Amino acid sequence: MKNLFEPCQAGQLQLATRIVMAPLTRNRAPHALANALMAEYYAQRANPATGAGLIITEATAISHQGQGYSDVPGIWSAEQVRAWQPVTAAVHAQGGKIVMQLWHVGRISHTSLQPNGQAPVAPSAIVAKSKTVLIENGVPRFEPTSMPRALELTEIPGIISDYRHAAKNAMLAGFDGIEVHAANGYLIDQFLRADSNQRQDAYGGSIENRTRFLKEVMTAVTQEIGGGRCGIRISPVTPANDASDASPQNLFEHVAGFLGALNLAYVHTIEGSTGAARDYQQGEKSFDYTALKTAYQQAGGQGAWMLNNGYDNELAKNALSHGADLIAFGKAFIANPDLASRLQQNGPYNTPDRGTFYGGGAKGYTDYPGL
Ligand code: 8OZ
C-alpha cells in the first residue's frame, strides 16, 4: 500500500515524499521579479520531513505577452533568472525540490498588463467571460479580461520558442525542472477547446489540430531540458476562465496518448472544477479519469500520476490506493507550511485567509504558525 510519506521517483526527480505543494498565484512579485519574501515563503514549505516533497512554483510568465495579472513573476529575462536563484537556493538548503510552472495566459489578460497596452493574444478573437487581478497602490481588484486578437500563424513559432527559452532559464535559475501550465483556461487550454479555438488553419478544427500547439510546446521543452525534468498540468473539465468544450473525454485522451511517448516526470491533473467541486462535469458525460491514465500508460507513459483538487488525508489515501502516485495540496499549503507534519498526525490545520491570497506582503503569506 502506497502512503503519502514515502519516496517517489518522478522521471529524473527523486522525491522524498508523495506530498506536493500545488502552484499558487500570490501576486507578491512586483516588476515580475522574485524576491526575498518569496524565498522565505517557499523555504518554509520546502523541508520534505515537515512540508512538501515537491514544490511547484506559482504560475510564472514566459514572456511579457504571457502575463495576465499584476505582480506575478516572470522567467524571460536574465534579471528574472538572477532574482529566482536565491529562491531555489533557499529551497535546496532545506533539502527540498522545486519546479517552475511555465505560463502564458493568452486571452486571460488586460491591455494594461500587455506590452504597449496592446490587446492580449488568443487562438481566436473571442473574449473570455472571466476576470483578472489588477493591483494599484497595493489594493487588488478584479477586472474583466480584455478583448483578445487572434494570433497570426506566423507568430506561433515565436511563442513555442518563448516556452523553450523559459525552460532553459528555469534550469539556469536552479530549478529541478518545469511544469507546463496547460490548465485552467489559459493559452494552451484555449487552443485545446473548441469553444475558444475557432481557427481554420492547422491549429484549429479537429482534435489533431487543436492539440498541435500543446504538442509543439511539450516537444520544445522536453528537447531543451529532457523529459524527465518536465511535467504538465491539465484540467479536463474545469470551467475556470471560461474554458469549455463539448467532448473533453476524447480531447484529453488524445492529449494523454501524446504525452505517453515523452518520458515525462509527471502528469498533473486537476479533477473537477479548479478550487471548487471535485465532481463538476462538463460535456456529454461524466469524465473518466481512470481512462485518461490508461490512455497515458498504454502509450508508454511511465511518469508519476499527480492528482489535485480539495484533497485531505482520507481522499489522498484513497487516491494512492487507486493508482495515484503524487497528491498536490493547494490552499492547505497556503495556511500550513508544515502540512506534512499535520497530515501525519491528522491535524489540526490552520484556516486559509482568502483576503490575503492575492497581493500584499508577509501577512497571510509567511506568518502562518507551525504546529
Ligand atoms: C488564481 C488567481 C490567479 C491565477 C490558475 C494561475 O488558475 C492561476 C490563477 C489562480 O491556474
Side-chain angles (χ1 to χ4, degrees), residues 23 25 27 59 69 101 103 133 181 183-184 186 233 240-241 270 274 358:
T25 290
N27 308 75
Y69 301 76
Q101 197 193 44
W103 195 28
V133 181
H181 193 344
N184 296 345
Y186 296 110
R233 193 179 208 210
N241 291 310
I270 301 169
T274 310
Y358 310 118

